[in-house]
Amino acid sequence: MTAQPLTTPHSLTQASILKRITALVYDTLVLCAILLCYGWVVVYLIQEAWLGVPLADNGRAQMGIFGQIGQLCIPFLFYCFFWMRGGQTLGMKAWRIKLLNSENQPATLAQCLLRCLTAPFCVLLGGFGYAWCWFDRDGRALHDRLSSTQVVQLKK
């Protein structure tokens, strides 16, 4: 038995760049809060309280290499968890947009990871990856194309 598409292809419209970027800003605020909590847990609970490693002489906290690796992994975990769980992060829910693969099914782990790896470069290149939407025949951003995904606008 094959999975049925979530919606018919004719009822899907690509999400606007403005909604996508606004959802990204919203998610960035949520991620900042998560990263701050993670830093507190690593520095104060694990290193200082549990392992007995004091703060540096200047009062600065040192997370160490494992703490920094964790900080790099958290955004990947955040996005992959939400995209695979329901196709929407918190910011995407607020703006009623959803991530699907090119067959209108939930994105796979490989697609989510590829999207997480390519999306930052699309932003860092002066937003070129998002501006790609204006030139793409289907209205997809560059990281959408590279990961075979799409961000669609949901009905009210």
Side-chain angles (χ1 to χ4, degrees):
M1 184 170 163
T2 61
Q4 296 297 320
L6 299 176
T7 56
T8 62
H10 301 294
S11 67
L12 297 176
T13 57
Q14 297 298 317
S16 71
I17 294 174
L18 181 61
K19 285 191 178 188
R20 293 169 63 126
I21 291 175
T22 307
L24 179 65
V25 169
Y26 188 100
D27 289 334
T28 300
L29 294 173
V30 173
L31 264 172
C32 284
I34 292 170
L35 288 169
L36 284 171
C37 291
Y38 171 78
W40 180 79
V41 166
V42 168
V43 171
Y44 291 106
L45 292 184
I46 294 176
Q47 286 186 351
E48 196 169 334
W50 188 43
L51 296 177
V53 177
L55 292 176
D57 291 336
N58 59 6
R60 292 184 153 211
Q62 303 290 328
M63 290 187 77
I65 188 70
F66 294 110
Q68 291 174 356
I69 290 172
Q71 277 192 316
L72 289 174
C73 292
I74 285 175
F76 285 89
L77 294 171
F78 175 84
Y79 282 108
C80 289
F81 173 78
F82 282 109
W83 287 338
M84 291 179 64
R85 187 169 174 257
Q88 295 177 292
T89 61
L90 300 174
M92 294 170 84
K93 282 185 180 192
W95 291 98
R96 294 184 330 274
I97 59 179
K98 187 173 187 171
L99 179 74
L100 298 172
N101 67 17
S102 54
E103 289 83 34
N104 299 332
Q105 297 293 323
T108 65
L109 178 61
Q111 288 173 316
C112 292
L113 288 173
L114 182 59
R115 194 174 161 80
C116 285
L117 287 170
T118 56
F121 295 106
C122 293
V123 173
L124 292 175
L125 295 172
F128 173 74
Y130 280 96
W132 186 274
C133 291
W134 292 324
F135 306 106
D136 187 82
R137 61 181 153 79
D138 296 325
R140 294 182 184 181
L142 183 58
H143 51 284
D144 294 334
R145 279 283 169 206
L146 294 172
S147 63
S148 297
T149 58
Q150 60 184 331
V151 179
V152 297
Q153 181 68 52
L154 300 175
K155 305 283 185 211
K156 287 187 179 184

